[in-house]
Short mmCIF file of all heavy atoms in Angstrom, two decimals:
data_model
loop_
_atom_site.label_atom_id
_atom_site.label_comp_id
_atom_site.label_asym_id
_atom_site.label_seq_id
_atom_site.Cartn_x
_atom_site.Cartn_y
_atom_site.Cartn_z
N GLY F 8 5.54 -34.79 5.72
CA GLY F 8 5.90 -34.41 4.36
C GLY F 8 4.67 -34.11 3.51
O GLY F 8 3.53 -34.26 3.96
N ALA F 9 4.91 -33.67 2.28
CA ALA F 9 3.84 -33.30 1.35
C ALA F 9 3.99 -34.08 0.06
O ALA F 9 5.11 -34.38 -0.37
CB ALA F 9 3.89 -31.80 1.07
N ARG F 10 2.85 -34.38 -0.55
CA ARG F 10 2.86 -35.17 -1.79
C ARG F 10 1.86 -34.59 -2.79
O ARG F 10 0.86 -34.01 -2.41
CB ARG F 10 2.50 -36.64 -1.50
CG ARG F 10 3.45 -37.32 -0.54
CD ARG F 10 3.10 -38.78 -0.32
NE ARG F 10 1.77 -39.00 0.24
CZ ARG F 10 1.44 -38.80 1.50
NH1 ARG F 10 2.34 -38.33 2.37
NH2 ARG F 10 0.22 -39.05 1.92
N ARG F 11 2.17 -34.79 -4.06
CA ARG F 11 1.22 -34.52 -5.14
C ARG F 11 1.04 -35.81 -5.91
O ARG F 11 2.01 -36.39 -6.40
CB ARG F 11 1.76 -33.43 -6.08
CG ARG F 11 0.81 -33.15 -7.26
CD ARG F 11 1.35 -32.10 -8.19
NE ARG F 11 2.62 -32.53 -8.79
CZ ARG F 11 3.51 -31.69 -9.34
NH1 ARG F 11 3.28 -30.39 -9.35
NH2 ARG F 11 4.62 -32.16 -9.84
N ASN F 12 -0.21 -36.25 -5.99
CA ASN F 12 -0.51 -37.52 -6.68
C ASN F 12 0.44 -38.63 -6.24
O ASN F 12 1.03 -39.34 -7.05
CB ASN F 12 -0.46 -37.32 -8.21
CG ASN F 12 -1.51 -36.35 -8.71
OD1 ASN F 12 -2.34 -35.86 -7.94
ND2 ASN F 12 -1.48 -36.05 -10.00
N SER F 13 0.61 -38.71 -4.92
CA SER F 13 1.38 -39.77 -4.24
C SER F 13 2.90 -39.62 -4.34
O SER F 13 3.62 -40.45 -3.79
CB SER F 13 0.99 -41.17 -4.77
OG SER F 13 -0.39 -41.39 -4.58
N ARG F 14 3.40 -38.58 -4.99
CA ARG F 14 4.85 -38.38 -5.09
C ARG F 14 5.27 -37.19 -4.23
O ARG F 14 4.61 -36.15 -4.22
CB ARG F 14 5.26 -38.16 -6.54
CG ARG F 14 4.79 -39.27 -7.47
CD ARG F 14 5.32 -39.12 -8.86
NE ARG F 14 6.72 -39.54 -8.95
CZ ARG F 14 7.36 -39.78 -10.09
NH1 ARG F 14 6.73 -39.61 -11.25
NH2 ARG F 14 8.62 -40.13 -10.09
N SER F 15 6.39 -37.34 -3.53
CA SER F 15 6.86 -36.27 -2.65
C SER F 15 7.18 -35.01 -3.44
O SER F 15 7.65 -35.08 -4.59
CB SER F 15 8.12 -36.72 -1.90
OG SER F 15 7.82 -37.75 -1.00
N ILE F 16 6.92 -33.87 -2.82
CA ILE F 16 7.21 -32.59 -3.46
C ILE F 16 8.09 -31.76 -2.53
O ILE F 16 8.08 -31.93 -1.31
CB ILE F 16 5.93 -31.80 -3.82
CG1 ILE F 16 5.01 -31.65 -2.60
CG2 ILE F 16 5.21 -32.47 -4.98
CD1 ILE F 16 3.79 -30.80 -2.84
N ARG F 17 8.84 -30.83 -3.13
CA ARG F 17 9.70 -29.93 -2.36
C ARG F 17 9.62 -28.53 -2.96
O ARG F 17 9.52 -28.36 -4.18
CB ARG F 17 11.17 -30.38 -2.41
CG ARG F 17 11.48 -31.65 -1.69
CD ARG F 17 11.23 -31.54 -0.20
NE ARG F 17 12.09 -30.56 0.46
CZ ARG F 17 11.94 -30.18 1.74
NH1 ARG F 17 10.95 -30.66 2.46
NH2 ARG F 17 12.75 -29.30 2.26
N ALA F 18 9.69 -27.54 -2.08
CA ALA F 18 9.75 -26.15 -2.52
C ALA F 18 11.05 -25.90 -3.27
O ALA F 18 12.03 -26.66 -3.15
CB ALA F 18 9.64 -25.22 -1.32
N SER F 19 11.08 -24.82 -4.03
CA SER F 19 12.25 -24.53 -4.85
C SER F 19 13.45 -24.14 -3.99
O SER F 19 13.30 -23.73 -2.84
CB SER F 19 11.93 -23.41 -5.86
OG SER F 19 12.37 -22.16 -5.42
N ASP F 20 14.63 -24.28 -4.57
CA ASP F 20 15.86 -23.89 -3.86
C ASP F 20 16.35 -22.53 -4.34
O ASP F 20 17.54 -22.20 -4.19
CB ASP F 20 16.94 -24.96 -4.02
CG ASP F 20 17.29 -25.24 -5.48
OD1 ASP F 20 16.72 -24.56 -6.37
OD2 ASP F 20 18.13 -26.12 -5.73
N ALA F 21 15.45 -21.73 -4.92
CA ALA F 21 15.84 -20.39 -5.38
C ALA F 21 16.44 -19.60 -4.22
O ALA F 21 15.95 -19.64 -3.10
CB ALA F 21 14.62 -19.66 -5.92
N ASP F 22 17.53 -18.87 -4.49
CA ASP F 22 18.19 -18.12 -3.42
C ASP F 22 18.37 -16.64 -3.78
O ASP F 22 19.10 -15.92 -3.10
CB ASP F 22 19.53 -18.75 -3.06
CG ASP F 22 20.48 -18.83 -4.25
OD1 ASP F 22 20.13 -18.32 -5.34
OD2 ASP F 22 21.57 -19.41 -4.10
N THR F 23 17.70 -16.20 -4.85
CA THR F 23 17.72 -14.78 -5.19
C THR F 23 16.35 -14.39 -5.73
O THR F 23 15.70 -15.17 -6.43
CB THR F 23 18.81 -14.46 -6.22
OG1 THR F 23 18.71 -13.08 -6.58
CG2 THR F 23 18.66 -15.31 -7.47
N LEU F 24 15.93 -13.17 -5.39
CA LEU F 24 14.64 -12.69 -5.90
C LEU F 24 14.72 -12.32 -7.38
O LEU F 24 13.70 -12.32 -8.07
CB LEU F 24 14.17 -11.47 -5.10
CG LEU F 24 13.63 -11.74 -3.70
CD1 LEU F 24 13.30 -10.44 -2.99
CD2 LEU F 24 12.38 -12.63 -3.77
N GLU F 25 15.90 -12.01 -7.86
CA GLU F 25 16.03 -11.64 -9.27
C GLU F 25 15.60 -12.80 -10.15
O GLU F 25 16.08 -13.92 -10.02
CB GLU F 25 17.46 -11.23 -9.60
CG GLU F 25 17.59 -10.69 -11.00
CD GLU F 25 18.87 -9.87 -11.18
OE1 GLU F 25 19.67 -9.78 -10.24
OE2 GLU F 25 19.02 -9.32 -12.27
N ASP F 26 14.61 -12.53 -11.00
CA ASP F 26 14.06 -13.51 -11.93
C ASP F 26 13.27 -14.62 -11.22
O ASP F 26 12.96 -15.65 -11.83
CB ASP F 26 15.14 -14.13 -12.81
CG ASP F 26 14.56 -14.72 -14.09
OD1 ASP F 26 13.66 -14.08 -14.67
OD2 ASP F 26 14.98 -15.82 -14.49
N ALA F 27 12.92 -14.41 -9.96
CA ALA F 27 12.10 -15.40 -9.25
C ALA F 27 10.71 -15.45 -9.88
O ALA F 27 10.19 -14.45 -10.38
CB ALA F 27 12.00 -15.05 -7.78
N SER F 28 10.10 -16.63 -9.86
CA SER F 28 8.74 -16.79 -10.38
C SER F 28 7.76 -16.64 -9.21
O SER F 28 7.85 -17.36 -8.22
CB SER F 28 8.58 -18.15 -11.05
OG SER F 28 8.90 -19.19 -10.16
N VAL F 29 6.85 -15.68 -9.34
CA VAL F 29 5.99 -15.29 -8.22
C VAL F 29 4.54 -15.32 -8.66
O VAL F 29 4.17 -14.79 -9.72
CB VAL F 29 6.35 -13.87 -7.73
CG1 VAL F 29 5.44 -13.45 -6.58
CG2 VAL F 29 7.81 -13.80 -7.31
N LEU F 30 3.70 -15.92 -7.83
CA LEU F 30 2.26 -15.89 -8.05
C LEU F 30 1.68 -14.71 -7.27
O LEU F 30 1.78 -14.65 -6.05
CB LEU F 30 1.62 -17.20 -7.59
CG LEU F 30 1.91 -18.39 -8.50
CD1 LEU F 30 1.59 -19.70 -7.80
CD2 LEU F 30 1.12 -18.28 -9.80
N GLY F 31 1.10 -13.76 -7.99
CA GLY F 31 0.55 -12.57 -7.36
C GLY F 31 0.40 -11.47 -8.39
O GLY F 31 0.71 -11.65 -9.57
N ASP F 32 -0.06 -10.34 -7.92
CA ASP F 32 -0.28 -9.18 -8.79
C ASP F 32 1.01 -8.37 -8.85
O ASP F 32 1.52 -7.91 -7.83
CB ASP F 32 -1.41 -8.33 -8.21
CG ASP F 32 -1.84 -7.21 -9.15
OD1 ASP F 32 -1.04 -6.78 -9.99
OD2 ASP F 32 -2.99 -6.75 -9.00
N ALA F 33 1.54 -8.17 -10.05
CA ALA F 33 2.80 -7.44 -10.21
C ALA F 33 2.72 -6.03 -9.65
O ALA F 33 3.74 -5.44 -9.26
CB ALA F 33 3.19 -7.40 -11.68
N ARG F 34 1.51 -5.48 -9.55
CA ARG F 34 1.37 -4.10 -9.06
C ARG F 34 1.63 -3.97 -7.57
O ARG F 34 1.87 -2.87 -7.07
CB ARG F 34 -0.04 -3.58 -9.37
CG ARG F 34 -0.31 -3.41 -10.87
CD ARG F 34 -1.76 -3.10 -11.12
NE ARG F 34 -2.62 -4.20 -10.70
CZ ARG F 34 -3.95 -4.20 -10.79
NH1 ARG F 34 -4.57 -3.16 -11.31
NH2 ARG F 34 -4.66 -5.24 -10.39
N LEU F 35 1.62 -5.11 -6.85
CA LEU F 35 1.76 -5.00 -5.39
C LEU F 35 3.13 -4.49 -4.98
O LEU F 35 3.29 -3.92 -3.90
CB LEU F 35 1.43 -6.32 -4.70
CG LEU F 35 2.33 -7.56 -4.88
CD1 LEU F 35 3.52 -7.53 -3.95
CD2 LEU F 35 1.52 -8.82 -4.62
N ILE F 36 4.15 -4.66 -5.82
CA ILE F 36 5.48 -4.17 -5.45
C ILE F 36 5.71 -2.73 -5.92
O ILE F 36 6.80 -2.19 -5.77
CB ILE F 36 6.60 -5.10 -5.98
CG1 ILE F 36 6.61 -5.13 -7.51
CG2 ILE F 36 6.47 -6.49 -5.38
CD1 ILE F 36 7.84 -5.82 -8.08
N GLU F 37 4.67 -2.10 -6.48
CA GLU F 37 4.79 -0.71 -6.90
C GLU F 37 4.32 0.27 -5.83
O GLU F 37 4.37 1.48 -6.04
CB GLU F 37 3.97 -0.50 -8.18
CG GLU F 37 4.49 -1.31 -9.36
CD GLU F 37 3.53 -1.28 -10.54
OE1 GLU F 37 2.50 -0.58 -10.45
OE2 GLU F 37 3.82 -1.96 -11.55
N ALA F 38 3.85 -0.25 -4.69
CA ALA F 38 3.36 0.62 -3.62
C ALA F 38 4.50 1.49 -3.09
O ALA F 38 5.69 1.15 -3.24
CB ALA F 38 2.77 -0.22 -2.49
N PRO F 39 4.17 2.62 -2.44
CA PRO F 39 5.22 3.56 -2.01
C PRO F 39 5.93 3.17 -0.72
O PRO F 39 6.78 3.91 -0.25
CB PRO F 39 4.43 4.86 -1.80
CG PRO F 39 3.06 4.41 -1.43
CD PRO F 39 2.81 3.15 -2.21
N TYR F 40 5.63 2.00 -0.16
CA TYR F 40 6.16 1.65 1.16
C TYR F 40 7.59 1.14 1.14
O TYR F 40 8.24 1.09 2.18
CB TYR F 40 5.30 0.54 1.79
CG TYR F 40 3.83 0.83 1.87
CD1 TYR F 40 2.92 0.09 1.11
CD2 TYR F 40 3.33 1.82 2.72
CE1 TYR F 40 1.57 0.33 1.20
CE2 TYR F 40 1.98 2.06 2.80
CZ TYR F 40 1.10 1.32 2.04
OH TYR F 40 -0.24 1.56 2.11
N PHE F 41 8.08 0.72 -0.01
CA PHE F 41 9.29 -0.08 -0.04
C PHE F 41 10.54 0.79 -0.09
O PHE F 41 10.78 1.51 -1.05
CB PHE F 41 9.26 -1.04 -1.23
CG PHE F 41 8.05 -1.93 -1.24
CD1 PHE F 41 7.09 -1.81 -2.22
CD2 PHE F 41 7.86 -2.88 -0.25
CE1 PHE F 41 5.97 -2.62 -2.25
CE2 PHE F 41 6.74 -3.69 -0.25
CZ PHE F 41 5.79 -3.57 -1.24
N ASP F 42 11.37 0.71 0.98
CA ASP F 42 12.66 1.41 1.00
C ASP F 42 13.66 0.73 0.07
O ASP F 42 14.47 1.37 -0.58
CB ASP F 42 13.26 1.41 2.42
CG ASP F 42 12.40 2.17 3.40
OD1 ASP F 42 11.63 3.03 2.94
OD2 ASP F 42 12.49 1.91 4.60
N GLU F 43 13.58 -0.58 0.06
CA GLU F 43 14.54 -1.39 -0.71
C GLU F 43 13.89 -1.79 -2.02
O GLU F 43 12.80 -2.38 -2.01
CB GLU F 43 14.93 -2.63 0.11
CG GLU F 43 16.03 -3.45 -0.51
CD GLU F 43 16.48 -4.59 0.41
OE1 GLU F 43 16.00 -4.66 1.57
OE2 GLU F 43 17.29 -5.40 -0.04
N PRO F 44 14.48 -1.49 -3.14
CA PRO F 44 13.83 -1.81 -4.42
C PRO F 44 13.72 -3.32 -4.64
O PRO F 44 14.53 -4.10 -4.12
CB PRO F 44 14.74 -1.16 -5.46
CG PRO F 44 16.07 -1.04 -4.79
CD PRO F 44 15.79 -0.82 -3.33
N TRP F 45 12.74 -3.70 -5.41
CA TRP F 45 12.57 -5.09 -5.81
C TRP F 45 13.30 -5.33 -7.12
O TRP F 45 13.21 -4.51 -8.04
CB TRP F 45 11.09 -5.41 -5.99
CG TRP F 45 10.28 -5.36 -4.74
CD1 TRP F 45 9.71 -4.24 -4.19
CD2 TRP F 45 9.91 -6.45 -3.90
NE1 TRP F 45 9.01 -4.57 -3.04
CE2 TRP F 45 9.13 -5.93 -2.85
CE3 TRP F 45 10.16 -7.83 -3.93
CZ2 TRP F 45 8.60 -6.73 -1.84
CZ3 TRP F 45 9.64 -8.62 -2.94
CH2 TRP F 45 8.86 -8.08 -1.90
N PRO F 46 13.99 -6.44 -7.24
CA PRO F 46 14.60 -6.77 -8.54
C PRO F 46 13.52 -7.23 -9.52
O PRO F 46 12.38 -7.48 -9.12
CB PRO F 46 15.55 -7.91 -8.19
CG PRO F 46 14.90 -8.58 -7.02
CD PRO F 46 14.24 -7.49 -6.23
N PRO F 47 13.85 -7.35 -10.78
CA PRO F 47 12.88 -7.87 -11.74
C PRO F 47 12.47 -9.30 -11.37
O PRO F 47 13.33 -10.15 -11.09
CB PRO F 47 13.64 -7.85 -13.08
CG PRO F 47 14.76 -6.88 -12.87
CD PRO F 47 15.13 -6.96 -11.43
N MET F 48 11.17 -9.54 -11.34
CA MET F 48 10.64 -10.88 -11.05
C MET F 48 9.58 -11.21 -12.08
O MET F 48 9.01 -10.34 -12.71
CB MET F 48 10.06 -10.91 -9.63
CG MET F 48 11.08 -10.64 -8.54
SD MET F 48 10.40 -10.75 -6.85
CE MET F 48 9.33 -9.32 -6.81
N ARG F 49 9.31 -12.49 -12.21
CA ARG F 49 8.31 -12.96 -13.19
C ARG F 49 6.99 -13.26 -12.46
O ARG F 49 6.92 -14.20 -11.68
CB ARG F 49 8.81 -14.21 -13.91
CG ARG F 49 10.01 -13.93 -14.83
CD ARG F 49 10.57 -15.20 -15.43
NE ARG F 49 11.32 -15.99 -14.46
CZ ARG F 49 11.05 -17.26 -14.13
NH1 ARG F 49 10.04 -17.89 -14.70
NH2 ARG F 49 11.79 -17.90 -13.25
N PHE F 50 5.99 -12.44 -12.70
CA PHE F 50 4.70 -12.60 -12.03
C PHE F 50 3.71 -13.36 -12.92
O PHE F 50 3.63 -13.12 -14.13
CB PHE F 50 4.10 -11.23 -11.69
CG PHE F 50 4.69 -10.60 -10.46
CD1 PHE F 50 5.83 -9.81 -10.56
CD2 PHE F 50 4.12 -10.80 -9.22
CE1 PHE F 50 6.38 -9.23 -9.43
CE2 PHE F 50 4.67 -10.22 -8.09
CZ PHE F 50 5.79 -9.43 -8.18
N GLU F 51 2.97 -14.25 -12.30
CA GLU F 51 1.85 -14.92 -12.97
C GLU F 51 0.67 -14.95 -12.02
O GLU F 51 0.81 -14.74 -10.80
CB GLU F 51 2.23 -16.35 -13.39
CG GLU F 51 3.24 -16.40 -14.53
CD GLU F 51 3.38 -17.81 -15.09
OE1 GLU F 51 2.37 -18.55 -15.12
OE2 GLU F 51 4.51 -18.16 -15.48
N LYS F 52 -0.51 -15.23 -12.58
CA LYS F 52 -1.73 -15.28 -11.77
C LYS F 52 -2.36 -16.67 -11.85
O LYS F 52 -2.30 -17.32 -12.90
CB LYS F 52 -2.74 -14.23 -12.24
CG LYS F 52 -2.28 -12.79 -12.01
CD LYS F 52 -3.35 -11.79 -12.41
CE LYS F 52 -2.89 -10.37 -12.14
NZ LYS F 52 -3.93 -9.37 -12.52
N ARG F 53 -2.93 -17.09 -10.75
CA ARG F 53 -3.80 -18.26 -10.69
C ARG F 53 -4.96 -17.86 -9.78
O ARG F 53 -4.76 -17.21 -8.75
CB ARG F 53 -3.08 -19.48 -10.10
CG ARG F 53 -1.90 -19.98 -10.90
CD ARG F 53 -2.34 -20.64 -12.20
NE ARG F 53 -1.20 -21.22 -12.91
CZ ARG F 53 -0.43 -20.59 -13.77
NH1 ARG F 53 -0.63 -19.30 -14.04
NH2 ARG F 53 0.56 -21.21 -14.38
#
């Protein structure tokens, strides 16, 4: 298992990309490769 400051952590149970919170560059989904469109997502950077 995984812990943060001694407490167990779990990944999110999100089941749709729409409105998903994503760490990365929002421009990466604008490339011409994608046959299937991406829904609106919330991008942030760290």
